[in-house]
Amino acid sequence: MSLTPFTKQQLLPQEEKLEIARHKSELFIGIPKETSYQERRICLTPDAVNSLSSHGHRIMIEAGAGLSSSYSDKEYSDAGAEVTQDTKKVFSCPIILKVEPPTADEIEMMNPQTILISAIQLKTRKAGYFEALHKKKITALAFEFIKDDDGSYPAVKSLSEIAGTASVLVAAELMIDNAHGKGLLFGNITGVPPTDVVILGAGTVGEFAAKTAIGLGASVKVFDNSITKLRRLQNNLNSRIFTSTIQQKALLKALRRCDVAIGAMRGKDRCPVVVSEDTVAHMKKGAVIVDVSIDTGGCFETSEITTHENPTFVKHDVIHYCVPNIPSRYSKTASLSISNIITPYLIQIAEDGGAESAIRCNSGLKHGVYFYHGILTNKAIGEWFGIAHSDINLIVF
């Protein structure tokens, strides 16, 4: 008898195993009103609610949740949502959709085993947040971690596009500002030198800031330490602009001449500080700095966090705009953007038979999970906060 790696048992004919068919499931989604400071966005627009309710899903919205994005309660109820004043009732839904991560009190209102879909904003989290999720055995997905088929992060990308475009529009407003600005028009007028813009970082924010500035006729210089990113930026802009790696001498020269500087750098944990206070002191009087990287610490040494109500301060005669969460200023655009990304995922979850099986079937969604039934599944969070974590691929397969 020839040798075989199989046991006698394995060589016997086996019965055929069929794949179990996936059943569609009906979702019951709760959308509470955002309570955190300056958050004006909402996850689903009335159109998205209409699309979900026509698929047979239930959506419960807290009264007034869409007002700051210019959506009335009537629009939501006409679209098929149940509108209620009762916050607790909304938080008792099996799926909770939020823009900002929930507060400790909000997690307290949730039922055990709830599925939470929201942003996570790691930099502002504390260990207590994760302990609360663990206690309630919650399964939590973060917008920032959800991946598309091509490996990109759609939610991060969309909000970066808004922040990039907005940074130039904000700078254009600040250049007119009578108290400190120079009364300059952002653009290129015949016989007048064009506005000089320096952008630090060639990611999505940098690219959309450059597109908007070029569209308005400015002269743009982009600095980044990745040649690949600079090359991609050149290709995406369809026009040759000044690009350079970050060299102090070239950067200092560009910043001394510029009217607007936009910080759009990203770092692993904290954004690198690329511009020293001394360099800022050498900039033109009345120049504008928009530090979009302030979410992760800012890339100008002089940057300090400001708010939407009081967005600017002046240091060394340079106007600084350092508001984190710029997209919230354009709440309707940002809400439309989030809604268009999240709605297909919700429909997909229902098609797959609920969040559990959707996580199994869709690797992009699986990547978005950072808590699974109260078990932390994200390595970065575990290492950052010193919490025990497990690999999701060992729990879900």
Side-chain angles (χ1 to χ4, degrees):
M1 181 182 146
S2 63
L3 291 170
T4 163
F6 301 104
T7 62
K8 198 171 178 187
Q9 188 64 37
Q10 283 168 323
L11 288 169
L12 290 171
Q14 303 286 316
E15 65 202 60
E16 186 181 8
K17 290 186 173 71
L18 292 172
E19 185 188 358
I20 298 165
R22 286 181 273 178
H23 298 290
K24 277 190 182 181
S25 79
E26 269 140 42
L27 306 179
F28 186 12
I29 300 166
I31 302 180
K33 194 173 173 180
E34 295 295 334
T35 53
S36 62
Y37 183 56
Q38 292 190 337
E39 185 48 75
R40 300 166 52 208
R41 299 169 292 181
I42 187 166
C43 286
L44 294 181
T45 60
D47 285 348
V49 168
N50 188 17
S51 158
L52 286 162
S53 55
S54 63
H55 277 78
H57 306 305
R58 273 181 77 188
I59 287 116
M60 188 181 278
I61 288 189
E62 190 177 346
L67 288 178
S68 50
S69 299
S70 332
Y71 293 120
S72 65
D73 290 343
K74 186 179 185 309
E75 285 176 83
Y76 279 109
S77 62
D78 290 350
E82 302 165 41
V83 179
T84 173
Q85 297 278 359
D86 190 345
T87 312
K88 277 190 174 143
K89 204 169 163 189
V90 178
F91 274 104
S92 65
C93 294
I95 298 176
I96 302 288
L97 253 192
K98 266 181 113 309
V99 179
E100 294 267 325
T103 61
D105 296 342
E106 288 172 337
I107 295 174
E108 199 47 51
M109 286 190 263
M110 290 184 201
N111 289 329
Q113 309 283 4
T114 296
I115 291 159
L116 166 70
I117 305 174
S118 75
I120 184 172
Q121 296 168 345
L122 247 191
K123 302 287 177 290
T124 56
R125 295 299 93 212
K126 294 190 168 56
Y129 170 78
F130 301 106
E131 281 159 26
L133 292 181
H134 169 68
K135 263 192 199 143
K136 288 264 173 148
K137 298 217 177 335
I138 281 171
T139 298
L141 286 88
F143 294 150
E144 297 101 312
F145 297 157
I146 294 176
K147 269 188 177 177
D148 227 338
D149 298 337
D150 63 352
S152 65
Y153 296 91
V156 179
K157 230 181 174 115
S158 279
L159 295 175
S160 296
E161 289 176 7
I162 295 174
T165 306
S167 65
V168 171
L169 302 178
V170 165
E173 285 170 40
L174 295 175
M175 284 166 65
I176 322 162
D177 178 25
N178 296 333
H180 303 289
K182 295 184 290 188
L184 280 175
L185 174 68
F186 194 114
N188 191 346
I189 304 302
T190 312
V192 179
T195 313
D196 221 324
V197 180
V198 169
I199 298 170
L200 305 171
T204 308
V205 176
E207 181 189 322
F208 275 75
K211 269 186 181 157
T212 312
I214 291 167
L216 290 169
S219 151
V220 177
K221 294 183 170 78
V222 181
F223 290 83
D224 194 294
N225 270 337
S226 158
I227 291 288
T228 314
K229 278 187 178 176
L230 290 171
R231 185 175 295 124
R232 191 182 64 213
L233 180 87
Q234 292 269 30
N235 292 337
N236 290 354
L237 291 177
N238 290 332
S239 65
R240 310 305 285 173
I241 56 166
F242 174 100
T243 52
S244 166
T245 51
I246 298 168
Q247 292 155 356
Q248 281 320 110
K249 211 171 174 185
L251 186 58
L252 178 63
K253 192 174 164 189
L255 286 169
R256 272 181 164 172
R257 292 181 180 173
C258 77
D259 302 298
V260 175
I262 292 169
M265 301 286 290
R266 300 243 340 239
K268 192 168 184 292
D269 291 330
R270 190 207 185 285
C271 150
V273 176
V274 187
V275 181
S276 66
E277 183 158 353
D278 186 47
T279 307
V280 174
H282 280 99
M283 286 173 72
K284 280 188 200 170
K285 183 176 190 278
V288 175
I289 285 176
V290 179
D291 201 341
V292 187
S293 313
I294 197 73
D295 290 351
T296 56
C299 57
F300 291 83
E301 199 183 347
T302 46
S303 293
E304 292 161 27
I305 287 189
T306 58
T307 62
H308 283 294
E309 283 77 39
N310 196 359
T312 59
F313 63 90
V314 177
K315 204 167 191 174
H316 301 303
D317 288 327
V318 175
I319 303 167
H320 290 64
Y321 179 98
C322 307
V323 179
N325 195 359
I326 292 177
S328 187
R329 184 175 191 219
Y330 304 90
S331 53
K332 192 160 194 170
T333 302
S335 298
L336 278 160
S337 176
I338 295 171
S339 180
N340 290 341
I341 289 165
I342 207 85
T343 311
Y345 277 114
L346 293 170
I347 291 169
Q348 182 67 47
I349 286 172
E351 290 285 321
D352 287 342
E356 292 284 323
S357 46
I359 291 165
R360 286 192 176 83
C361 307
N362 185 323
S363 61
L365 268 180
K366 189 193 277 187
H367 200 271
V369 178
Y370 62 96
F371 249 84
Y372 187 75
H373 293 297
I375 302 166
L376 179 65
T377 57
N378 185 293
K379 190 171 175 230
I381 297 174
E383 287 172 357
W384 184 273
F385 291 99
I387 310 170
H389 58 275
S390 311
D391 185 345
I392 187 154
N393 295 310
L394 301 175
I395 311 170
V396 178
F397 41 78

